[in-house]
Amino acid sequence: MNVSPGAAPAFASPRGRFVTFEGGEGAGKSSQVTRLAERLRGRGLDVVVTREPGGSPGAECVRHVLLEGAAEAFGPLAEACLFAAARADHVDRTIRPALDAGRWVISDRFYDSTRVYQGGGVAPEMVRLLEQVAVDGTRPDLTILLDVPAEIGLARAGARRGEGVADRFEKEDLATHERRRLAFLKLAHEEPERFVVVDATDDPGTVAEAIWFAVETRLGLAPAERSA
Ligand code: Z5A
Protein backbone atom coordinates (compact mmCIF):
# COMPACT_ATOMS: atom_id res chain seq x y z
CA MET A 1 0.00 0.00 0.00
CA ASN A 2 1.26 3.46 -0.84
CA VAL A 3 1.11 5.61 2.28
CA SER A 4 2.66 9.06 2.25
CA PRO A 5 5.02 9.81 5.17
CA GLY A 6 3.10 10.88 8.27
CA ALA A 7 -0.35 10.03 6.85
CA ALA A 8 -2.55 7.58 8.77
CA PRO A 9 -3.15 4.33 6.88
CA ALA A 10 -6.67 4.11 5.43
CA PHE A 11 -7.68 1.29 7.79
CA ALA A 12 -6.64 3.09 11.00
CA SER A 13 -9.62 3.69 13.32
CA PRO A 14 -10.21 7.32 14.18
CA ARG A 15 -9.12 8.25 17.68
CA GLY A 16 -11.86 7.80 20.28
CA ARG A 17 -13.08 10.56 22.59
CA PHE A 18 -11.77 11.23 26.05
CA VAL A 19 -14.15 12.61 28.68
CA THR A 20 -13.15 13.32 32.28
CA PHE A 21 -15.31 14.06 35.32
CA GLU A 22 -14.05 16.32 38.08
CA GLY A 23 -15.39 17.83 41.29
CA GLY A 24 -15.30 17.45 45.04
CA GLU A 25 -16.31 14.48 47.17
CA GLY A 26 -19.93 13.41 46.77
CA ALA A 27 -20.48 15.58 43.69
CA GLY A 28 -21.96 12.55 41.92
CA LYS A 29 -19.06 11.77 39.56
CA SER A 30 -19.19 7.97 39.82
CA SER A 31 -22.98 7.88 39.40
CA GLN A 32 -22.87 10.18 36.37
CA VAL A 33 -19.92 8.36 34.77
CA THR A 34 -22.02 5.18 34.87
CA ARG A 35 -25.09 6.90 33.42
CA LEU A 36 -23.14 8.55 30.60
CA ALA A 37 -21.38 5.30 29.68
CA GLU A 38 -24.71 3.47 29.51
CA ARG A 39 -26.23 6.16 27.34
CA LEU A 40 -23.28 6.16 24.95
CA ARG A 41 -23.31 2.36 24.75
CA GLY A 42 -27.01 2.59 23.98
CA ARG A 43 -25.96 4.61 20.92
CA GLY A 44 -23.69 1.76 19.85
CA LEU A 45 -20.42 3.29 21.05
CA ASP A 46 -17.60 1.29 22.59
CA VAL A 47 -16.93 2.86 25.99
CA VAL A 48 -14.20 2.27 28.56
CA VAL A 49 -14.96 3.49 32.09
CA THR A 50 -11.98 4.16 34.31
CA ARG A 51 -10.93 6.18 37.34
CA GLU A 52 -8.09 7.91 39.13
CA PRO A 53 -6.12 7.27 41.11
CA GLY A 54 -6.15 3.83 39.54
CA GLY A 55 -7.48 2.52 36.25
CA SER A 56 -4.65 0.05 35.53
CA PRO A 57 -3.21 -2.75 37.71
CA GLY A 58 -0.11 -0.75 38.69
CA ALA A 59 -2.06 2.45 39.35
CA GLU A 60 -4.63 0.59 41.48
CA CYS A 61 -1.76 -0.50 43.81
CA VAL A 62 -0.66 3.14 44.11
CA ARG A 63 -4.30 4.16 44.75
CA HIS A 64 -4.35 1.99 47.82
CA VAL A 65 -1.18 3.62 49.19
CA LEU A 66 -2.45 7.14 48.48
CA LEU A 67 -5.98 6.81 49.86
CA GLU A 68 -4.88 4.94 52.98
CA GLY A 69 -2.70 8.00 53.70
CA ALA A 70 0.50 5.93 53.77
CA ALA A 71 2.30 8.49 51.57
CA GLU A 72 1.14 11.55 53.50
CA ALA A 73 4.15 11.50 55.84
CA PHE A 74 6.53 11.88 52.87
CA GLY A 75 5.07 15.30 52.08
CA PRO A 76 3.07 16.91 49.25
CA LEU A 77 5.76 16.58 46.57
CA ALA A 78 6.17 12.84 47.13
CA GLU A 79 2.39 12.42 47.03
CA ALA A 80 2.19 14.42 43.79
CA CYS A 81 4.93 12.21 42.29
CA LEU A 82 2.94 9.10 43.24
CA PHE A 83 -0.23 10.47 41.61
CA ALA A 84 1.86 11.21 38.50
CA ALA A 85 3.40 7.72 38.48
CA ALA A 86 -0.06 6.16 38.76
CA ARG A 87 -1.32 8.41 35.97
CA ALA A 88 1.57 7.51 33.65
CA ASP A 89 0.71 3.83 34.00
CA HIS A 90 -3.02 4.50 33.60
CA VAL A 91 -2.49 6.54 30.41
CA ASP A 92 -0.01 4.05 28.98
CA ARG A 93 -1.92 0.87 29.65
CA THR A 94 -5.57 1.87 29.63
CA ILE A 95 -6.39 5.28 28.19
CA ARG A 96 -4.11 5.66 25.17
CA PRO A 97 -4.60 2.11 23.81
CA ALA A 98 -8.39 2.53 24.07
CA LEU A 99 -8.38 5.91 22.32
CA ASP A 100 -6.04 4.59 19.61
CA ALA A 101 -8.52 1.74 19.03
CA GLY A 102 -11.31 4.29 18.47
CA ARG A 103 -13.02 3.67 21.82
CA TRP A 104 -14.50 6.32 24.10
CA VAL A 105 -12.84 6.68 27.50
CA ILE A 106 -14.61 8.19 30.51
CA SER A 107 -12.44 8.78 33.54
CA ASP A 108 -13.69 9.53 37.04
CA ARG A 109 -11.04 12.21 37.84
CA PHE A 110 -7.85 12.97 35.91
CA TYR A 111 -5.13 15.61 36.07
CA ASP A 112 -7.35 18.50 37.14
CA SER A 113 -7.66 16.69 40.48
CA THR A 114 -3.89 16.88 40.91
CA ARG A 115 -3.89 20.56 39.97
CA VAL A 116 -6.49 21.18 42.68
CA TYR A 117 -5.63 18.71 45.46
CA GLN A 118 -1.83 18.68 45.21
CA GLY A 119 -1.68 22.26 43.87
CA GLY A 120 -2.32 23.46 47.43
CA GLY A 121 1.08 22.16 48.61
CA VAL A 122 3.30 21.91 45.52
CA ALA A 123 4.50 24.71 43.22
CA PRO A 124 2.20 25.02 40.16
CA GLU A 125 5.12 24.69 37.72
CA MET A 126 6.10 21.37 39.35
CA VAL A 127 2.49 20.14 39.16
CA ARG A 128 2.36 20.99 35.43
CA LEU A 129 5.75 19.38 34.79
CA LEU A 130 4.67 16.12 36.41
CA GLU A 131 1.41 16.30 34.47
CA GLN A 132 3.24 16.72 31.16
CA VAL A 133 5.45 13.73 31.83
CA ALA A 134 2.54 11.55 33.00
CA VAL A 135 0.11 12.23 30.15
CA ASP A 136 2.64 12.59 27.34
CA GLY A 137 0.16 14.47 25.14
CA THR A 138 -2.98 12.50 26.03
CA ARG A 139 -5.45 15.18 27.12
CA PRO A 140 -9.23 15.16 27.63
CA ASP A 141 -11.51 16.34 24.81
CA LEU A 142 -14.11 17.34 27.38
CA THR A 143 -14.08 17.78 31.14
CA ILE A 144 -17.36 17.83 33.05
CA LEU A 145 -17.02 19.69 36.33
CA LEU A 146 -19.79 18.67 38.72
CA ASP A 147 -20.12 21.68 40.97
CA VAL A 148 -21.66 21.33 44.41
CA PRO A 149 -21.10 23.23 47.69
CA ALA A 150 -18.60 21.25 49.78
CA GLU A 151 -21.09 20.90 52.61
CA ILE A 152 -23.61 19.11 50.38
CA GLY A 153 -20.99 16.88 48.74
CA LEU A 154 -19.48 15.85 52.07
CA ALA A 155 -22.94 15.13 53.51
CA ARG A 156 -23.69 12.84 50.55
CA ALA A 157 -20.32 11.09 50.85
CA GLY A 158 -20.80 10.74 54.61
CA ALA A 159 -24.31 9.28 54.25
CA ARG A 160 -23.03 6.74 51.73
CA ARG A 161 -20.06 5.80 53.95
CA GLY A 162 -22.19 5.30 57.06
CA GLU A 163 -19.94 3.95 59.82
CA GLY A 164 -17.02 3.47 57.40
CA VAL A 165 -13.73 5.37 57.79
CA ALA A 166 -13.15 8.60 55.82
CA ASP A 167 -10.14 8.40 53.48
CA ARG A 168 -7.01 10.58 53.52
CA PHE A 169 -8.74 13.43 51.63
CA GLU A 170 -12.33 13.17 52.86
CA LYS A 171 -11.27 13.80 56.46
CA GLU A 172 -9.94 17.31 55.71
CA ASP A 173 -11.91 20.33 56.99
CA LEU A 174 -14.81 22.05 55.26
CA ALA A 175 -12.81 25.21 54.42
CA THR A 176 -10.22 23.09 52.57
CA HIS A 177 -12.97 21.37 50.57
CA GLU A 178 -14.57 24.72 49.74
CA ARG A 179 -11.17 26.10 48.60
CA ARG A 180 -10.87 23.12 46.27
CA ARG A 181 -14.31 23.81 44.86
CA LEU A 182 -13.19 27.35 43.96
CA ALA A 183 -9.93 26.01 42.51
CA PHE A 184 -11.89 23.68 40.20
CA LEU A 185 -14.12 26.57 39.11
CA LYS A 186 -11.02 28.66 38.38
CA LEU A 187 -9.62 25.92 36.14
CA ALA A 188 -12.94 25.77 34.28
CA HIS A 189 -12.88 29.53 33.83
CA GLU A 190 -9.34 29.36 32.42
CA GLU A 191 -10.13 26.61 29.88
CA PRO A 192 -13.73 27.17 28.76
CA GLU A 193 -13.17 25.24 25.52
CA ARG A 194 -12.44 22.04 27.45
CA PHE A 195 -14.67 22.40 30.54
CA VAL A 196 -18.41 22.35 31.06
CA VAL A 197 -19.60 23.23 34.57
CA VAL A 198 -22.77 21.40 35.61
CA ASP A 199 -24.81 22.31 38.70
CA ALA A 200 -24.66 19.05 40.63
CA THR A 201 -27.12 20.11 43.36
CA ASP A 202 -29.98 19.11 41.05
CA ASP A 203 -31.50 15.64 41.12
CA PRO A 204 -29.43 12.94 39.34
CA GLY A 205 -31.74 12.82 36.29
CA THR A 206 -31.49 16.56 35.67
CA VAL A 207 -27.71 16.46 36.11
CA ALA A 208 -27.50 13.57 33.62
CA GLU A 209 -29.50 15.54 31.03
CA ALA A 210 -27.17 18.54 31.37
CA ILE A 211 -24.17 16.25 30.89
CA TRP A 212 -25.72 14.59 27.84
CA PHE A 213 -26.41 17.98 26.28
CA ALA A 214 -22.76 18.97 26.86
CA VAL A 215 -21.45 15.74 25.33
CA GLU A 216 -23.71 16.00 22.29
CA THR A 217 -22.92 19.63 21.58
CA ARG A 218 -19.24 19.74 22.53
CA LEU A 219 -18.21 16.44 20.98
CA GLY A 220 -20.60 16.66 18.05
CA LEU A 221 -21.96 13.12 18.01
CA ALA A 222 -22.40 12.24 14.34
CA PRO A 223 -26.01 11.49 13.24
CA ALA A 224 -25.22 7.77 12.96
CA GLU A 225 -23.85 7.78 16.50
CA ARG A 226 -26.94 9.63 17.74
CA SER A 227 -29.51 7.40 16.15
CA ALA A 228 -27.75 4.03 16.42
N1 Z5A B 1 -7.03 12.76 44.35
C1 Z5A B 1 -5.96 13.62 44.47
O1 Z5A B 1 -5.69 14.14 45.56
N2 Z5A B 1 -5.20 13.86 43.37
C2 Z5A B 1 -5.43 13.29 42.17
O2 Z5A B 1 -4.70 13.54 41.20
C3 Z5A B 1 -6.56 12.40 42.07
C4 Z5A B 1 -7.33 12.17 43.18
C5 Z5A B 1 -6.87 11.75 40.76
C6 Z5A B 1 -10.13 9.80 45.33
O3 Z5A B 1 -11.24 9.47 46.05
C7 Z5A B 1 -9.40 10.86 46.16
O4 Z5A B 1 -8.12 11.09 45.58
C8 Z5A B 1 -10.15 12.17 46.09
C9 Z5A B 1 -9.17 13.17 45.50
C10 Z5A B 1 -7.86 12.48 45.54
N3 Z5A B 1 -10.48 12.66 47.36
N4 Z5A B 1 -11.22 12.20 48.18
N5 Z5A B 1 -11.85 11.85 49.01
P1 Z5A B 1 -12.35 8.48 45.57
O5 Z5A B 1 -12.10 8.00 44.19
O6 Z5A B 1 -12.48 7.44 46.63
O7 Z5A B 1 -13.66 9.36 45.71
P2 Z5A B 1 -14.09 10.72 45.03
O8 Z5A B 1 -13.48 10.85 43.69
O9 Z5A B 1 -13.84 11.83 45.95
O10 Z5A B 1 -15.62 10.51 44.79
P3 Z5A B 1 -16.78 10.14 45.81
O11 Z5A B 1 -16.66 10.75 47.15
O12 Z5A B 1 -16.90 8.66 45.75
O13 Z5A B 1 -18.01 10.86 45.18
P4 Z5A B 1 -18.60 10.96 43.71
O14 Z5A B 1 -18.06 9.88 42.84
O15 Z5A B 1 -18.43 12.34 43.21
O16 Z5A B 1 -20.13 10.73 43.97
P5 Z5A B 1 -21.04 9.40 43.88
O17 Z5A B 1 -20.27 8.23 44.43
O18 Z5A B 1 -21.60 9.29 42.54
O19 Z5A B 1 -22.19 9.84 44.86
C11 Z5A B 1 -21.97 10.00 46.24
C12 Z5A B 1 -23.32 9.77 46.98
O20 Z5A B 1 -24.21 10.83 46.64
C13 Z5A B 1 -24.02 8.47 46.59
O21 Z5A B 1 -24.68 7.96 47.70
C14 Z5A B 1 -25.02 8.92 45.50
O22 Z5A B 1 -26.14 8.10 45.45
C15 Z5A B 1 -25.37 10.32 45.99
N6 Z5A B 1 -25.68 11.24 44.88
C16 Z5A B 1 -25.05 11.32 43.67
N7 Z5A B 1 -25.59 12.29 42.92
C17 Z5A B 1 -26.58 12.85 43.66
C18 Z5A B 1 -27.52 13.91 43.41
N8 Z5A B 1 -27.53 14.57 42.26
N9 Z5A B 1 -28.37 14.22 44.40
C19 Z5A B 1 -28.37 13.54 45.58
N10 Z5A B 1 -27.52 12.51 45.87
C20 Z5A B 1 -26.64 12.18 44.92
Side-chain angles (χ1 to χ4, degrees):
M1 193 175 56
N2 191 7
V3 179
S4 58
F11 51 78
S13 28
R15 179 187 178 275
R17 307 287 168 82
F18 184 21
V19 181
T20 58
F21 277 71
E22 298 283 2
E25 285 71 36
K29 299 177 296 300
S30 312
S31 321
Q32 294 297 337
V33 163
T34 305
R35 279 176 181 249
L36 177 61
E38 278 167 10
R39 199 153 177 182
L40 289 168
R41 286 181 186 128
R43 300 297 188 278
L45 293 166
D46 189 357
V47 182
V48 174
V49 167
T50 188
R51 68 168 180 186
E52 288 210 349
S56 62
E60 287 292 330
C61 294
V62 182
R63 174 186 175 90
H64 184 69
V65 171
L66 285 164
L67 297 194
E68 289 292 300
E72 195 177 355
F74 300 120
L77 180 59
E79 265 191 328
C81 288
L82 282 175
F83 275 108
R87 180 159 305 126
D89 193 61
H90 183 209
V91 169
D92 237 38
R93 292 176 189 254
T94 303
I95 299 174
R96 193 177 298 118
L99 293 173
D100 287 349
R103 306 174 80 188
W104 283 56
V105 176
I106 308 178
S107 186
D108 187 343
R109 296 193 182 279
F110 197 54
Y111 58 59
D112 297 299
S113 285
T114 304
R115 293 181 183 183
V116 167
Y117 284 79
Q118 281 62 57
V122 178
E125 55 274 19
M126 182 59 78
V127 169
R128 296 297 173 120
L129 192 61
L130 288 170
E131 173 182 305
Q132 241 177 310
V133 171
V135 306
D136 193 20
T138 299
R139 295 194 177 269
D141 299 300
L142 173 66
T143 297
I144 308 281
L145 173 57
L146 294 184
D147 179 51
V148 72
E151 207 166 355
I152 296 178
L154 288 174
R156 286 181 190 168
R160 183 196 46 195
R161 187 172 63 246
E163 299 299 307
V165 182
D167 74 26
R168 146 89 178 85
F169 298 95
E170 275 172 350
K171 66 181 192 219
E172 285 167 324
D173 64 28
L174 185 63
T176 302
H177 287 282
E178 199 51 50
R179 262 200 307 280
R180 287 178 184 148
R181 179 193 182 198
L182 297 179
F184 273 123
L185 287 169
K186 184 164 179 280
L187 290 179
H189 182 73
E190 287 165 358
E191 276 188 79
E193 67 294 340
R194 174 166 68 89
F195 274 92
V196 168
V197 181
V198 172
D199 178 358
T201 59
D202 277 327
D203 65 275
T206 304
V207 174
E209 281 312 312
I211 292 168
W212 184 248
F213 180 76
V215 169
E216 275 201 314
T217 51
R218 290 294 187 97
L219 299 183
L221 284 183
E225 288 169 330
R226 271 200 212 121
S227 59

